[in-house]
Amino acid sequence: GKPLYPPRKLHALEVNYTVEECSIHQLLNAYCDSRESSIDGDNKSIGTKFVNGLLKKRLFSSPAAFASTLEKHVGTVSSGGTPKKPTAIDERILRKALLKAEEDYAKDTDYEAAQEEAVEVASKRSAPFTQEQSQIINQLRDWAQRAQHQSDSKADAICDWIKKNLKPQGQWNNQRVILFTEYRTTQQWLQKILTEKGYGGDQLNIIHGGMDQKERGAVKAAFQTSIENDAPVRILLATDAASEGIDLQNYCNCLIHLEIPYNPNVMEQRNGRIDRHGQKASEVLIWHPVDTSDGEGQTVGGHKDDIIRALRKLESMRED
């Protein structure tokens, strides 16, 4: 009569974005709208929409991830000259690069390299910046260069969560959490912030697709060993490329998504690291970042209630 799997409960990781952060998202939206409104031809449309979508995804992930992709895009467009009418070969090259960017990769470096290549191929075939677009780009670049080296509101919310749930009154308890991100760049950025905030050292472990099996196995073994048996790790920072097929449910029932993946299968793959047979806790707890800011009518990524409602609908489909 006892269920094999404990119930999964979804929670909002409330992020109170600053007015400046909200305005950066609005600026990027304005830039993307401007680029798409000047599209001429299906081939340019595919490339432009891919670049715009990736810039938005990377900005939602972290300032560091956004900065690297923005520089690749700007540098390529600025050095591309006047684009010629695409040939059939150009179209095949572009489509191949875009398909390659959407593949699954065992190594994070391969994944990000494929996305950079696709951004370069697509940006080469796009129109030069207009004066208005150049002004927006300069504002985005100025912010990104500053922001990529410091914490943002989402990182602050994660640190507050850790302080409240893992280190209350300044002492580590026996709780653990997995922090999942799509990008290695974001992982490195957050690792630096957590360390600076006092959540590094033996309490923080990293797992990513560039590690060999021996390194990955050691991290997994430590996380699957109880704290009482001299395994001090409390926080595991993981990328999607490292997540497939690893069991992490022995002593952890909490997981935080740094981004909400576009693909529900990716989200389920992450959740399945702890929501699986053998989970000892009475419930599995999942947090998703949602915007609770009130930036004068500006929001980042939709309203909290709408996002949680959509995620619960996905959860209902999974249960069915």
Side-chain angles (χ1 to χ4, degrees), residues 24-49:
I24 289 299
H25 282 265
Q26 296 297 321
L27 271 176
L28 180 58
N29 287 338
Y31 170 75
C32 293
D33 290 344
S34 177
R35 294 295 281 179
E36 291 187 22
S37 67
S38 59
I39 285 173
D40 178 22
D42 292 339
N43 190 52
K44 291 183 187 177
S45 173
I46 294 171
T48 299
K49 288 182 178 179

Side-chain angles (χ1 to χ4, degrees), residues 61-121:
S61 182
S62 71
F66 174 66
S68 61
T69 301
L70 181 65
E71 286 304 310
K72 172 63 70 174
H73 172 56
V74 173
T76 306
V77 173
S78 299
S79 62
T82 303
K84 301 178 179 63
K85 184 176 180 180
T87 65
I89 294 177
D90 289 331
E91 292 183 9
R92 286 200 295 271
I93 292 173
L94 176 58
R95 290 179 185 275
K96 183 177 179 181
L98 299 186
L99 287 172
K100 189 177 177 183
E102 299 300 328
E103 291 178 7
D104 292 330
Y105 290 91
K107 293 184 178 180
D108 301 282
T109 51
D110 294 341
Y111 176 53
E112 297 214 20
Q115 292 203 328
E116 280 203 1
E117 180 184 348
V119 169
E120 185 173 6
V121 171

Side-chain angles (χ1 to χ4, degrees), residues 19-311:
V19 172
E20 183 183 36
E21 287 168 340
C22 289
S23 68
I24 289 299
H25 282 265
Q26 296 297 321
L27 271 176
L28 180 58
N29 287 338
Y31 170 75
C32 293
D33 290 344
S34 177
R35 294 295 281 179
E36 291 187 22
S37 67
S38 59
I39 285 173
D40 178 22
D42 292 339
N43 190 52
K44 291 183 187 177
S45 173
I46 294 171
T48 299
K49 288 182 178 179
F50 169 80
V51 172
N52 289 349
L54 186 60
L55 284 170
K56 290 178 181 181
K57 282 180 68 177
R58 302 275 287 188
L59 181 56
F60 277 120
S61 182
S62 71
F66 174 66
S68 61
T69 301
L70 181 65
E71 286 304 310
K72 172 63 70 174
H73 172 56
V74 173
T76 306
V77 173
S78 299
S79 62
T82 303
K84 301 178 179 63
K85 184 176 180 180
T87 65
I89 294 177
D90 289 331
E91 292 183 9
R92 286 200 295 271
I93 292 173
L94 176 58
R95 290 179 185 275
K96 183 177 179 181
L98 299 186
L99 287 172
K100 189 177 177 183
E102 299 300 328
E103 291 178 7
D104 292 330
Y105 290 91
K107 293 184 178 180
D108 301 282
T109 51
D110 294 341
Y111 176 53
E112 297 214 20
Q115 292 203 328
E116 280 203 1
E117 180 184 348
V119 169
E120 185 173 6
V121 171
S123 298
K124 274 182 181 177
R125 288 153 176 78
S126 61
F129 297 129
T130 65
Q131 184 176 357
E132 179 190 13
Q133 290 165 2
S134 293
Q135 291 174 347
I136 296 176
I137 283 291
N138 289 336
Q139 290 178 267
L140 292 172
R141 292 179 78 189
D142 288 345
W143 174 83
Q145 291 305 313
R146 285 185 289 107
Q148 67 176 326
H149 301 298
Q150 59 195 36
S151 182
D152 71 350
S153 295
K154 182 166 64 175
D156 290 343
I158 290 171
C159 289
D160 289 343
W161 186 97
I162 292 171
K163 181 180 180 180
K164 177 182 177 181
N165 292 276
L166 304 189
K167 202 176 180 182
Q169 287 82 48
Q171 299 296 320
W172 292 102
N173 58 24
N174 290 344
Q175 186 65 275
R176 282 175 171 159
V177 68
I178 303 172
L179 307 177
F180 258 113
T181 179
E182 182 174 356
Y183 303 114
R184 173 79 170 124
T185 306
T186 295
Q187 185 188 50
Q188 293 170 318
W189 169 80
L190 187 58
Q191 179 185 7
K192 176 177 176 289
I193 291 169
L194 291 175
T195 301
E196 291 172 349
K197 299 271 190 178
Y199 303 123
D202 293 338
Q203 283 72 34
L204 176 63
N205 273 3
I206 307 294
I207 190 166
H208 58 84
M211 302 168 68
D212 60 36
Q213 290 300 323
K214 185 177 180 181
E215 291 177 301
R216 209 179 299 191
V219 172
K220 175 187 169 182
F223 204 73
Q224 287 282 75
T225 301
S226 68
I227 293 168
E228 290 82 358
N229 290 331
D230 297 325
V233 58
R234 301 305 202 284
I235 305 164
L236 181 62
L237 253 176
T239 63
D240 289 331
S243 68
E244 192 167 349
I246 58 172
D247 302 348
L248 299 169
Q249 79 279 24
N250 281 358
Y251 300 100
C252 179
N253 69 320
C254 296
L255 186 149
I256 297 175
H257 296 273
L258 266 72
E259 323 90 2
I260 298 176
Y262 279 33
N263 184 346
N265 291 330
V266 172
M267 188 161 60
E268 192 56 34
Q269 179 69 35
R270 293 178 179 182
N271 294 338
R273 300 312 94 217
I274 58 174
D275 190 1
R276 61 193 303 118
H277 184 61
Q279 174 59 254
K280 301 178 180 68
S282 59
E283 57 188 10
V284 172
L285 305 173
I286 309 292
W287 277 266
H288 294 275
V290 296
D291 181 15
T292 57
S293 60
D294 185 17
E296 299 177 357
Q298 300 179 10
T299 59
V300 174
H303 295 280
K304 166 186 169 183
D305 293 342
D306 296 333
I307 290 174
I308 293 299
R309 187 181 302 114
L311 291 169

